[in-house]
């Protein structure tokens, strides 16, 4: 029970982390550059909503959208002959949705802390917005973005409620470590539960160490509450 659950969790967390990093960074850049404050507030609230909703509610909405008898789920089944619900893809989808707000908010905070003087100087030199983003903004904001990516990976590893709702608890397929711990305790197999809890604990410590490492690489101006030093 231990190793199949570890493999499913690692595959799920890695896949969702890659998608979350790309989509979260793009969303953060778009929201950070919005010129209309009210629209920014609305969009930010929508993108952050999965962070405050109970995971089971998030899973319910995902099942409502991607279930086999729902429009999106039926579309994938009819066109691609692929069922999303109760498949490994559903575990990635659940992890992506619940971890996305963490990546988005970390990336947005890092992007907004980039000194505007650097951007303005690059604009006066005639650099395009794309070159400014990839050559100036992204490298400066990278520590915060990396920390958000690691945090998203950890959230994907620890996802339980949404995964249980849309992916189920299928051994070797959708049973992640949190679901395996629940199954072991429900079956009275406390020895296996202890082993899996220890694995989760070690992964969590490593994730926190990695996140703190990248946050420590931020300049005082980039850190939350940091002041501009002379």
């Amino acid at each position: 029970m231990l190793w199949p659950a570890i493999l499913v969790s690692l595959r799920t967390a890695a896949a969702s982390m890659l998608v979350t990093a790309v989509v979260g960074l793009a969303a953060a850049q778009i929201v950070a550059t919005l010129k209309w404050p009210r629209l920014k507030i609305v969009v930010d609230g929508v993108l952050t909503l999965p962070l405050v909703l109970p995971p089971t509610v998030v899973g319910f909405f995902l099942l409502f959208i991607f279930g086999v008898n729902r429009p999106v789920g039926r579309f994938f089944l009819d066109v691609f002959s692929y069922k999303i619900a109760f498949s490994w893809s559903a575990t990635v989808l659940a992890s992506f949705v619940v971890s996305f707000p963490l990546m988005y908010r970390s990336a947005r905070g890092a992007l907004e802390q980039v000194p505007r003087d650097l951007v303005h100087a690059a604009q006066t030199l005639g650099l395009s917005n794309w070159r400014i983003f990839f050559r100036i903004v992204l490298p400066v904001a990278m520590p915060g973005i990396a920390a958000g990516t690691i945090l998203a990976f950890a959230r994907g590893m620890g996802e339980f409620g949404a995964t249980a709702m849309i992916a189920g608890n299928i051994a070797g397929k959708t049973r992640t470590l949190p679901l395996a711990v629940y199954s072991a305790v429900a079956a009275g197999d406390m020895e296996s539960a202890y082993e899996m809890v220890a694995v989760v604990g070690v992964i969590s410590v490593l994730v926190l160490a990695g996140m703190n490492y990248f946050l420590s690489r931020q300049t005082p101006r980039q850190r939350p509450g940091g002041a501009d030093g002379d």
Side-chain angles (χ1 to χ4, degrees):
M1 181 183 292
L2 176 60
W3 287 110
I6 292 177
L7 292 177
V8 171
S9 291
L10 289 176
R11 288 178 59 213
T12 299
S16 66
M17 179 189 68
L18 293 176
V19 179
T20 303
V22 175
V23 179
L25 180 58
Q29 174 65 9
I30 292 172
V31 174
T33 55
L34 283 177
K35 303 300 183 181
W36 302 279
R38 292 184 180 179
L39 179 60
K40 180 181 290 190
I41 292 174
V42 172
V43 175
D44 181 78
V46 172
L47 296 179
T48 310
L49 190 59
L51 187 64
V52 297
L53 285 176
T56 50
V57 175
V58 174
F60 173 82
F61 282 119
L62 291 177
L63 189 61
F64 183 81
I65 296 172
F66 294 97
V68 293
N69 294 320
R70 299 299 175 180
V72 178
R74 175 57 62 181
F75 171 80
F76 275 89
L77 189 61
D78 293 340
V79 176
F80 301 104
S81 299
Y82 186 79
K83 184 179 72 171
I84 295 179
F86 303 104
S87 67
W88 177 74
S89 298
T91 66
V92 178
L93 178 63
S95 296
F96 162 72
V97 172
V98 298
S99 62
F100 170 82
L102 298 175
M103 176 63 200
Y104 157 72
R105 296 196 69 85
S106 297
R108 181 186 167 188
L111 292 174
E112 290 180 341
Q113 291 298 322
V114 175
R116 304 309 301 172
D117 294 344
L118 296 177
V119 177
H120 294 156
Q123 289 173 342
T124 59
L125 294 175
L127 294 181
S128 65
N129 291 333
W130 283 105
R131 294 188 68 183
I132 292 174
F133 178 76
F134 284 105
R135 298 186 62 178
I136 297 175
V137 175
L138 193 59
V140 174
M142 186 53 67
I145 294 172
T149 303
I150 294 174
L151 195 59
F153 175 85
R155 185 65 185 86
M157 282 285 295
E159 168 50 33
F160 175 84
T163 303
M165 289 290 289
I166 190 173
N169 189 8
I170 306 172
K173 185 177 181 181
T174 66
R175 179 176 292 174
T176 58
L177 272 172
L179 289 168
V181 171
Y182 174 82
S183 299
V185 173
D189 187 1
M190 299 305 296
E191 182 176 351
S192 296
Y194 292 146
E195 293 178 354
M196 288 181 285
V197 168
V199 171
V200 173
V202 171
I203 294 174
S204 299
V205 171
L206 293 176
V207 166
L208 287 175
M211 184 179 65
N212 289 331
Y213 168 76
F214 283 109
L215 288 177
S216 68
R217 293 172 62 88
Q218 289 181 306
T219 63
R221 180 174 183 141
Q222 290 176 280
R223 293 174 192 154
D228 296 345
D230 294 330

